[in-house]
Amino acid sequence: MVRAAVLPSVGSPLEITDIELPDPGPGQVRVRLAAAGVCHSDLSLSNGTMRVPVPAVLGHEGAGTVVSVGEGVTHVAPGDGVILNWAPSCGSCHHCGIGEVWLCANALAGAASVYARAADGTELHPGLNVAAFAEETVVAANCVLPVPAGIPLTDAALLGCAVLTGYGAVHHSARVQEGESVVVFGVGGVGLATIQSARIAGAGTVIAVDVSAEKESLARRAGATEYVIASDTTAKEIRKLTGGQGADVAIECVGRAATIRTAWDSTRRGGRTTVVGIGGKDQQVTFNALELFHWGRTLSGCVYGNSDPARDLPVLADHIRAGRLDLGGLVTDRIGLEGIPSAFADMLAGKGGRALVVF
């Protein structure tokens, strides 16, 4: 029996309770969690913005130590530090075949499985495959990757989502070039990782935008050169800060129609707008045909930073070891499982960066 945060039904409060985990079967790994990040996607799963089979144990950004492995698992062994990979590629679908592993058609197939039981015998699903909001979890072997050497295990949890997403948005989706101007909308965990990654890419002006004045110090420590409080005049302010042209690149990390539209309006003619934030189906963004022609901008979605964890984790590790990427700079709260509901409330209120559950 281990403690876990269980979502009994969509829209219900999380319940911190004991669950029963089985031993790992063939091709499975049991992991004792060191830490798990509280991501906005977990909030979206809990409130129904994104669908998840319930009841479920949420949490998809985590790292820990291998406890035991099932038959056929050879790439990790008991005692190894591992990062949870919530979107493993199957290697055989169309997108995997053309190298777009972040769009794997079967990445979330495991989320529909039953992986554990509540104390009363109720079947539980692993939210986004890995069920990181628990002291221990059992996952498919392709859901774990070895922690790169020299990376503290607790900090490594952030590599499982926020950092891969933010880094990938800059380097793989928007493809920021040295000297370009970048504006980042939303200074949460992903937004802070995006700002750091823009700095690493050599961006000239890095503008952070958020509704909270209290996040300015966080943004500037991450590498923002300018800070704008979100308002009806945000796009005008960004054009003023970029010589009247607009930013070369705008990266939206919020997932709201109004913010996506503002990001688009803040981008220069011929620039790139990348949407990282996950919004609901009710969030409709509109453009007219003339402006699409006239502005010549590129608007693109971005899934998991368009990242391949196996390829990108060693690169990120080099940046961390060299001091260019500060994982601790993303974290504003260290909490226990009982603190997850408060972390959800802070996200809704626009407070803080990343909350990290430390076991």
Side-chain angles (χ1 to χ4, degrees):
M1 302 292 283
V2 300
R3 298 286 282 175
V6 176
L7 178 71
S9 60
V10 173
S12 297
L14 293 180
E15 297 178 356
I16 312 302
T17 186
D18 290 331
I19 67 170
E20 183 177 356
L21 283 177
D23 292 329
Q28 291 185 322
V29 178
R30 182 163 178 155
V31 178
R32 180 180 300 113
L33 272 294
V38 183
C39 180
H40 203 281
S41 296
D42 297 309
L43 176 60
S44 296
L45 290 167
S46 71
N47 64 24
T49 300
M50 297 168 62
R51 293 184 178 182
V52 62
V54 290
V57 176
L58 302 183
H60 62 282
E61 179 183 88
T65 303
V66 175
V67 175
S68 55
V69 301
E71 181 183 351
V73 177
T74 58
H75 73 295
V76 295
D80 288 350
V82 292
I83 296 168
L84 299 181
N85 177 16
W86 62 270
S89 59
C90 70
S92 59
C93 72
H94 171 75
H95 288 288
C96 288
I98 61 174
E100 295 177 349
V101 298
W102 54 92
L103 297 179
C104 173
N106 301 306
L108 296 180
S113 66
V114 173
Y115 94 111
R117 293 181 183 273
D120 64 1
T122 300
E123 295 180 338
L124 299 175
H125 302 281
L128 292 186
N129 285 324
V130 296
F133 288 166
E135 294 169 333
E136 296 186 13
T137 188
V138 174
V139 301
N142 62 355
C143 286
V144 296
L145 295 163
V147 173
I151 310 302
L153 194 56
T154 301
D155 290 346
L158 300 163
L159 295 172
C161 183
V163 178
L164 275 171
T165 299
Y167 181 86
V170 169
H171 290 268
H172 303 321
S173 181
R175 299 183 181 180
V176 173
Q177 303 299 307
E178 186 173 356
E180 288 191 312
S181 56
V182 177
V183 55
V184 178
F185 289 81
V187 185
V190 173
L192 289 167
T194 302
I195 293 168
Q196 288 201 42
S197 299
R199 172 178 47 77
I200 290 170
T205 300
V206 180
I207 307 166
V209 179
D210 199 276
V211 296
S212 171
E214 296 176 356
K215 291 187 180 182
E216 181 172 0
S217 59
L218 283 172
R220 290 192 181 276
R221 284 199 298 271
T225 59
E226 308 288 345
Y227 193 81
V228 173
I229 305 296
S231 71
D232 292 340
T233 63
T234 295
K236 291 181 179 179
E237 292 181 62
I238 291 169
R239 285 195 292 273
K240 184 177 180 180
L241 292 169
T242 53
Q245 298 299 312
D248 294 305
V249 172
I251 301 178
E252 199 271 1
C253 302
V254 180
R256 294 178 184 163
T259 315
I260 295 170
R261 179 71 221 199
T262 301
W264 167 268
D265 290 337
S266 301
T267 308
R268 69 165 173 84
R269 194 176 189 189
R272 289 105 66 202
T273 305
T274 293
V275 179
V276 175
I278 301 172
K281 292 181 179 179
D282 61 327
Q283 296 288 313
Q284 298 292 316
V285 188
T286 61
F287 308 91
N288 67 61
L290 182 59
E291 69 174 312
L292 292 172
F293 159 78
H294 172 77
W295 290 104
R297 297 166 175 147
T298 300
L299 176 68
S300 62
C302 179
V303 177
Y304 202 9
N306 294 8
S307 293
D308 177 350
R311 174 197 66 196
D312 293 330
L313 283 177
V315 176
L316 291 170
D318 285 343
H319 287 307
I320 295 165
R321 289 190 288 258
R324 292 184 293 268
L325 181 59
D326 175 20
L327 297 180
L330 309 183
V331 180
T332 52
D333 294 285
R334 294 177 185 269
I335 60 177
L337 284 173
E338 295 77 6
I340 296 174
S342 293
F344 281 176
D346 285 344
M347 280 192 285
L348 285 171
K351 297 179 180 179
R354 200 50 133 213
L356 190 67
V357 180
V358 179
F359 295 92

